Amino acid sequence: MSDVTAKPAAPLDEIMLAMDVVDTLRHRQDLATRELDGVTREQQLIDKLREIYHQQGIEVTDDILKQGVSALAESRFVYDPPKPSFGTTVARLYTSRGKWGRPVVGLVVAMAVFLGVYYLVYKPYQANIAEQARIELVEALPAQMDAIYQTIFEETKVQQAVVEAEDWRTRGKAFAAEGNRPQAEAALSHLTALRDQLRQQYTLRVVNRPGVQSGVWTIPEVNTAATNYYVIVEAIDPDGQTLSLPILNEENGQTETVAMWAVRVPESVYNAVASDKKDDGIIQTNEVGRKSDGFLDVEYLMPTLGGALTRW
């Protein structure tokens, strides 16, 4: 059995009094400096401390006063903060986690949710859209072009439609292969318009309604010595409905979609129509031409000169 006998711990009240002595000395640095650093004996300092406590009504034993003086000299009961280091920084952060913990955890959770949504939902969604667009451009659009071309080939009665359709299909597929969606879609639109034009059926008639002109003449700016004559026409489908068609205005070079336009005719035709209407207010010979299914152009039943106006 060990011969070393453990020294019993000092009572708590004695420790507290010793700490108070040290605290008193710290607050009385003039006293501590004068008494400890001078030539006066330690006993004089103890006497002075006893007097201070006595004035406060506190009786302190010499042992406790000696412990306080010794503790001050040995820097006991003095807290020396640790030197700055990574470890102390981490320790301070950990002990202050009550202040910053919840906001940081909330921020981390929010970032985790955002990244999860971005990488697991948004990115796959965008990738899927891009893939669908790619498939549509390189597969769907060319397939539609082939289908419309085949329809034109089967329904047309004129070779010109096949030639135009083949040209637009070739150009459209080339644009699709290059990834040029706007031009590929434009080529598809031209093919669709060509097919629809082939299927159109209507009769081109001189307009003969009260308050509406049936003919007009103009003097072109480029040749003021000449006069151009026109009859005003409209397209009527088999159901009796008036159609709006794209018409090229020969005076300004612009194409407009209109329900009525002026077809340029020889002066003799213009005069014949005017006389027909003047006779009884009704134009008996009012059929200018017919557009049949499978054809691109109107088959004119009276002479025309190939020009048109959309405004007069």
Side-chain angles (χ1 to χ4, degrees):
M1 191 169 178
S2 175
D3 295 333
V4 179
T5 303
K7 183 177 179 180
L12 182 60
D13 56 347
E14 292 185 6
I15 295 175
M16 295 298 293
L17 281 172
M19 292 176 64
D20 187 74
V21 171
V22 174
D23 188 62
T24 300
L25 289 172
R26 286 204 193 97
H27 286 81
R28 296 289 302 273
Q29 285 297 317
D30 57 332
L31 175 65
T33 301
R34 184 174 64 250
E35 300 296 349
L36 288 175
D37 297 337
V39 295
T40 307
R41 292 178 301 124
E42 182 182 276
Q43 185 60 44
Q44 291 178 322
L45 177 58
I46 293 173
D47 292 341
K48 187 64 177 177
L49 286 169
R50 185 185 303 109
E51 181 181 350
I52 291 171
Y53 279 104
H54 181 72
Q55 291 174 355
Q56 298 176 10
I58 302 173
E59 298 299 329
V60 183
T61 64
D62 288 354
D63 288 341
I64 293 176
L65 293 175
K66 288 180 180 180
Q67 290 179 28
V69 173
S70 299
L72 179 65
E74 297 171 4
S75 296
R76 279 185 289 157
F77 307 127
V78 176
Y79 172 72
D80 293 325
K83 295 180 180 180
S85 66
F86 176 76
T88 57
T89 300
V90 172
R92 288 192 179 97
L93 287 173
Y94 178 77
T95 55
S96 63
R97 65 188 182 278
K99 297 180 179 179
W100 57 263
R102 288 186 178 180
V104 170
V105 170
L107 179 61
V108 170
V109 171
M111 286 297 295
V113 171
F114 171 78
L115 292 176
V117 170
Y118 180 78
Y119 285 105
L120 299 179
V121 179
Y122 179 75
K123 290 286 285 184
Y125 172 73
Q126 290 296 317
N128 183 56
I129 291 178
E131 179 61 15
Q132 290 179 354
R134 186 195 68 81
I135 292 174
E136 181 184 8
L137 181 59
V138 301
E139 297 181 15
L141 287 180
Q144 292 179 53
M145 294 175 193
D146 285 335
I148 295 176
Y149 170 81
Q150 188 62 32
T151 299
I152 293 172
F153 182 83
E154 294 173 355
E155 296 183 3
T156 185
K157 295 180 175 68
V158 290
Q159 185 63 25
Q160 179 188 352
V162 176
V163 173
E164 291 185 21
E166 177 62 31
D167 180 57
W168 282 116
R169 181 178 69 164
T170 301
R171 293 166 63 182
K173 284 187 172 183
F175 287 130
E178 295 170 1
N180 191 334
R181 174 179 289 274
Q183 292 298 330
E185 290 179 341
L188 180 61
S189 296
H190 281 290
L191 278 169
T192 303
L194 185 61
R195 179 202 61 192
D196 294 344
Q197 183 180 350
L198 279 174
R199 291 177 172 178
Q200 282 178 336
Q201 299 181 64
Y202 57 84
T203 300
L204 202 60
R205 297 177 184 172
V206 179
V207 175
N208 187 21
R209 292 195 295 273
V212 180
Q213 292 175 274
S214 298
V216 65
W217 58 268
T218 65
I219 298 176
E221 295 181 1
V222 295
N223 184 7
T224 56
T227 302
N228 292 335
Y229 297 91
Y230 302 85
V231 291
I232 312 302
V233 299
E234 58 186 353
I236 309 298
D237 69 9
D239 296 325
Q241 300 298 317
T242 301
L243 303 178
S244 293
L245 301 175
I247 304 298
L248 174 65
N249 189 324
E250 65 177 352
E251 289 189 340
N252 58 23
Q254 296 181 356
T255 297
E256 296 183 69
T257 299
V258 292
M260 290 191 302
W261 66 97
V263 175
R264 185 148 59 95
V265 296
E267 183 180 0
S268 58
V269 173
Y270 175 84
N271 290 333
V273 171
S275 298
D276 192 356
K277 185 173 183 178
K278 186 177 181 181
D279 180 32
D280 57 3
I282 300 174
I283 303 174
Q284 276 77 22
T285 308
N286 66 348
E287 196 168 306
V288 179
R290 294 175 182 173
K291 165 64 175 68
S292 302
D293 180 37
F295 292 88
L296 292 175
D297 301 316
V298 174
E299 180 184 3
Y300 287 99
L301 304 178
M302 62 175 62
T304 62
L305 298 178
L309 298 179
T310 55
R311 301 171 184 270
W312 51 86

